[in-house]
Amino acid sequence: MKIHVLTTGGTIDKVYFDAKSEFEVGPPMIAELLKEAHVTAEVTIEPVLAKDSLDMIEADRQLIRERVAASEVDRILITHGTDTMAETARTLAGIAGKTIVLTGSMQPARFRNTDAVFNVGFALGVVQVLPPGVYLAINGRVFDAARVRKNRERQRFEEAD
Amino acid sequence: MKIHVLTTGGTIDKVYFDAKSEFEVGPPMIAELLKEAHVTAEVTIEPVLAKDSLDMIEADRQLIRERVAASEVDRILITHGTDTMAETARTLAGIAGKTIVLTGSMQPARFRNTDAVFNVGFALGVVQVLPPGVYLAINGRVFDAARVRKNRERQRFEEAD
Amino acid sequence: MKIHVLTTGGTIDKVYFDAKSEFEVGPPMIAELLKEAHVTAEVTIEPVLAKDSLDMIEADRQLIRERVAASEVDRILITHGTDTMAETARTLAGIAGKTIVLTGSMQPARFRNTDAVFNVGFALGVVQVLPPGVYLAINGRVFDAARVRKNRERQRFEEAD
Amino acid sequence: MKIHVLTTGGTIDKVYFDAKSEFEVGPPMIAELLKEAHVTAEVTIEPVLAKDSLDMIEADRQLIRERVAASEVDRILITHGTDTMAETARTLAGIAGKTIVLTGSMQPARFRNTDAVFNVGFALGVVQVLPPGVYLAINGRVFDAARVRKNRERQRFEEAD
């Protein structure tokens, strides 16, 4: 089974550039995570953006949508910042025949303690099994993109009312 | 959605007991992994065995089967040593109405570089979505329990002929 | 032998506050590092500042100097941002009878790959053995505070001309 | 300043060989640790043995002594298993003009939580500053080789009576 990964930035890829004493979105970590987990599934990776999701504008979401629609693969995993992940997910509604799963992390993958590795594993699993549609996969749960929100105070995703 | 986890030992839980200068199966790591990943899914954990899977005997596999059958939850995740994971999986055939997923790791969860965190995330994802049956979830792939084997030379799981 | 640690912030203590999607100086990491290393030396820890060292002003350096001078312990370890570590070190010149060692890191202690743990170990070692004076301990080397500078391009400390 | 490192095995270098489901002394980790810490000191590394220190025999200790004596460098760091580290240290008594420091770890360097990185940093620091003699550097303390023992129950080194 083929899975196509689109990377867009977010906390999961944040890195510390000491030369500037700043913390920024760095190169995508997902290839390294898949290698460390000895993944033998057929995965292709396409970097699309490298943005903090708070900085994403409508054109960014349209670009992501175009790349998803253009992919010849029907299992799509998107790594994304958590702050506007739900918003991007809703922009992806209505693409027929594709299972689209978004994930990300609250703590950078480069940290010693992080939710990134687990989340990528979780998302790579459910994208292979779920029927076509758009989903968020985080906090060990699968959320329908149409009914999910980030609760910033509690630092987790919840079903929206 | 409820998920019930049975732990049986294996490399994933190996720990280094310095007082004896030995490397042994230690306390299950899964609760710690779920906490680090901020998992909010409803997960219960039941320690069943703490064995290297090369040391498992038929009675061990029957015990695991009994515990699976006795569970009131129909989504079951089993952490297990990789060497005889496929054998245990085949012992679990024929339990009606339950989705049973086995996972483990090639490197201990306590290592800095390990496949354990990814694998547990992957398995916790697919167990929530797959239809009833028995599966191995490892190497970023879902295997049918009836047709899988560990290739020790290549250190990975493959579909059996 | 007693060692007194003053923490002032810097990259070593940087943390990712997801609720704000920012990377800031967090609580000092040194107590955790000493515990993980099973340190049985007699160490006391005093938080003085929690600043990126680029933001330190002259009053901050005077505060550090006052705390060093006021300590009853004559082996002093200071954790500090690397950007102005050499400058603070020079401010500490002339305090009689005390061995003062400054260290820090290029990558946060909370990262999976970091120089923080090694540097704190290194500094805690040399502070116990060096004669009175002010030193930087980083990059596996001991530098005289009067003749050291950070080479930002090469991301390392060097002897100044 | 030049430092010569001799590696002899021990917990610090233990690795998990999954193909055999065994935990053994693997390749020396120290080069990787020095690289991660951006060490610019002039360090040479010489692998001498790769043994659990409980398995060392008198001939092993004589070999280590010969290599120390033969080195043209007068600052020597030895990585060693903790169980008989004190015994080897005493075998090294009487080598004139050399500062010899032994270190190791209670948990493997490949673990996520380990004392190995701190200990190597600590030892690399004190070996540069101590006068000629033989020392153990562990638990954040410098011990005189003639008066130290491992307390296995408490999992730490102490001054012998």
Side-chain angles (χ1 to χ4, degrees):
Chain A
M1 186 179 295
K2 293 182 183 176
I3 303 112
H4 189 57
V5 177
L6 304 179
T7 65
T8 72
T11 295
I12 192 169
D13 289 334
K14 286 207 171 170
V15 67
Y16 188 70
F17 289 109
D18 184 66
K20 292 176 283 185
S21 288
E22 278 175 30
F23 196 53
E24 299 176 2
V25 174
M29 287 292 286
I30 193 162
E32 199 172 309
L33 301 185
L34 298 181
K35 186 181 172 193
E36 185 176 347
H38 313 304
V39 169
T40 58
E42 206 173 336
V43 180
T44 49
I45 300 173
E46 177 185 359
V48 178
L49 295 165
K51 283 198 169 184
D52 189 312
S53 78
L54 287 172
D55 299 331
M56 280 193 186
I57 58 174
E58 185 54 27
D60 294 323
R61 296 187 217 284
Q62 284 308 316
L63 176 63
I64 295 169
R65 186 183 166 98
E66 285 165 22
R67 296 296 177 90
V68 171
S71 175
E72 294 181 356
V73 178
D74 58 10
R75 307 266 169 191
I76 308 285
L77 173 58
I78 302 172
T79 59
H80 196 287
T82 57
D83 286 316
T84 67
M85 188 189 287
E87 198 174 333
T88 297
R90 283 187 275 274
T91 310
L92 299 173
I95 299 178
K98 284 193 158 66
T99 300
I100 305 162
V101 173
L102 294 92
T103 197
S105 67
M106 300 290 187
Q107 293 291 320
R110 288 171 176 87
F111 271 37
R112 179 148 74 147
N113 292 295
T114 176
D115 50 334
V117 184
F118 185 98
N119 289 351
V120 168
F122 186 91
L124 193 81
V126 298
V127 77
Q128 296 181 46
V129 186
L130 286 164
V134 187
Y135 310 88
L136 261 67
I138 198 159
N139 293 135
R141 295 176 62 187
V142 177
F143 295 93
D144 179 336
R147 294 189 303 125
V148 62
R149 58 166 190 172
K150 181 177 177 184
N151 181 329
R152 291 199 81 177
E153 291 69 39
R154 303 189 67 177
Q155 286 295 297
R156 64 188 212 189
F157 283 83
E158 300 171 344
E159 286 182 9
D161 303 321
Chain B
M1 187 180 295
K2 293 182 182 176
I3 303 111
H4 189 57
V5 177
L6 304 180
T7 65
T8 72
T11 294
I12 192 170
D13 289 333
K14 287 210 171 168
V15 66
Y16 187 70
F17 290 108
D18 183 66
K20 292 176 281 186
S21 288
E22 280 175 29
F23 197 51
E24 299 177 0
V25 174
M29 286 292 286
I30 194 164
E32 200 173 307
L33 300 185
L34 298 181
K35 187 181 171 193
E36 186 176 348
H38 312 304
V39 169
T40 57
E42 207 173 335
V43 180
T44 49
I45 300 172
E46 178 186 359
V48 178
L49 295 165
K51 284 197 169 185
D52 189 312
S53 78
L54 288 172
D55 299 331
M56 280 193 186
I57 57 173
E58 185 55 28
D60 294 324
R61 296 186 218 284
Q62 284 308 316
L63 176 63
I64 296 170
R65 185 183 167 97
E66 284 165 23
R67 296 296 176 90
V68 171
S71 175
E72 295 182 354
V73 178
D74 57 10
R75 307 265 168 191
I76 307 284
L77 173 59
I78 302 173
T79 59
H80 196 287
T82 58
D83 286 315
T84 66
M85 187 187 287
E87 197 174 334
T88 298
R90 283 188 275 274
T91 310
L92 299 173
I95 299 179
K98 284 193 158 66
T99 299
I100 304 163
V101 173
L102 293 93
T103 196
S105 67
M106 300 291 186
Q107 293 291 321
R110 288 173 176 87
F111 271 37
R112 179 147 73 147
N113 293 296
T114 176
D115 51 334
V117 184
F118 185 98
N119 290 352
V120 169
F122 186 90
L124 193 81
V126 298
V127 77
Q128 296 181 46
V129 185
L130 286 165
V134 187
Y135 310 89
L136 261 67
I138 198 159
N139 293 136
R141 295 177 61 189
V142 177
F143 296 93
D144 180 336
R147 295 189 302 126
V148 63
R149 60 167 188 170
K150 182 177 176 183
N151 182 329
R152 291 198 82 178
E153 292 69 39
R154 305 191 64 177
Q155 286 294 296
R156 62 187 213 189
F157 284 84
E158 301 171 343
E159 286 183 8
D161 303 322
Chain C
M1 187 178 295
K2 293 181 182 176
I3 303 110
H4 189 58
V5 177
L6 304 179
T7 66
T8 72
T11 294
I12 193 170
D13 289 333
K14 287 208 172 170
V15 66
Y16 188 70
F17 290 109
D18 183 67
K20 293 177 282 186
S21 288
E22 279 176 28
F23 196 53
E24 297 176 2
V25 174
M29 286 292 286
I30 193 163
E32 200 172 307
L33 301 185
L34 299 181
K35 186 181 172 191
E36 185 174 348
H38 311 305
V39 170
T40 57
E42 207 173 336
V43 180
T44 48
I45 300 173
E46 177 185 358
V48 178
L49 294 165
K51 283 198 169 184
D52 189 310
S53 77
L54 288 172
D55 299 332
M56 280 193 185
I57 58 173
E58 185 54 28
D60 293 323
R61 296 187 217 284
Q62 285 308 317
L63 176 62
I64 296 169
R65 187 184 165 97
E66 284 165 22
R67 296 296 177 89
V68 171
S71 174
E72 294 182 357
V73 178
D74 57 9
R75 307 267 169 189
I76 308 284
L77 173 58
I78 302 174
T79 59
H80 195 287
T82 57
D83 286 316
T84 67
M85 188 188 286
E87 197 173 335
T88 297
R90 283 187 274 274
T91 310
L92 299 173
I95 299 179
K98 285 193 157 67
T99 300
I100 304 164
V101 173
L102 293 92
T103 197
S105 67
M106 300 291 186
Q107 293 290 321
R110 289 172 176 87
F111 271 38
R112 179 147 72 148
N113 293 295
T114 176
D115 52 335
V117 184
F118 185 97
N119 290 352
V120 168
F122 186 89
L124 192 81
V126 298
V127 77
Q128 296 181 45
V129 186
L130 286 164
V134 186
Y135 310 88
L136 262 66
I138 198 159
N139 293 136
R141 296 178 60 189
V142 177
F143 296 93
D144 180 336
R147 294 190 302 126
V148 62
R149 60 167 188 169
K150 181 176 177 183
N151 182 328
R152 292 200 80 176
E153 293 69 40
R154 304 190 66 177
Q155 286 294 296
R156 63 187 212 188
F157 283 83
E158 301 172 343
E159 284 182 10
D161 302 321
Chain D
M1 186 178 296
K2 292 182 182 176
I3 303 109
H4 190 58
V5 177
L6 304 180
T7 66
T8 72
T11 294
I12 192 170
D13 289 333
K14 287 209 171 169
V15 66
Y16 187 71
F17 290 110
D18 183 66
K20 293 176 281 186
S21 288
E22 278 176 30
F23 196 53
E24 298 177 0
V25 173
M29 286 293 285
I30 193 162
E32 200 172 307
L33 300 185
L34 299 181
K35 186 181 173 193
E36 185 175 348
H38 311 304
V39 169
T40 57
E42 207 174 335
V43 180
T44 49
I45 300 172
E46 178 187 359
V48 178
L49 295 166
K51 283 198 169 184
D52 189 311
S53 78
L54 287 172
D55 299 332
M56 280 193 186
I57 58 174
E58 185 54 28
D60 294 323
R61 295 186 218 284
Q62 285 308 318
L63 176 63
I64 296 168
R65 186 185 166 97
E66 284 164 23
R67 297 295 178 90
V68 171
S71 174
E72 295 182 356
V73 178
D74 57 10
R75 307 262 169 194
I76 308 283
L77 173 59
I78 302 173
T79 59
H80 196 287
T82 57
D83 285 316
T84 67
M85 188 188 286
E87 198 175 333
T88 297
R90 283 187 276 273
T91 310
L92 299 173
I95 299 179
K98 284 193 159 67
T99 300
I100 305 163
V101 173
L102 294 92
T103 197
S105 67
M106 301 290 187
Q107 293 291 322
R110 289 172 176 87
F111 271 37
R112 179 147 72 149
N113 292 295
T114 176
D115 51 335
V117 184
F118 184 98
N119 289 352
V120 168
F122 186 90
L124 192 81
V126 299
V127 78
Q128 296 181 46
V129 186
L130 286 164
V134 187
Y135 310 88
L136 261 67
I138 198 159
N139 293 135
R141 296 177 61 190
V142 177
F143 296 93
D144 180 337
R147 294 189 302 125
V148 62
R149 60 167 189 170
K150 181 176 177 184
N151 182 329
R152 291 198 81 177
E153 293 69 40
R154 303 190 66 177
Q155 286 294 296
R156 63 188 211 189
F157 284 83
E158 301 172 342
E159 284 181 12
D161 302 321

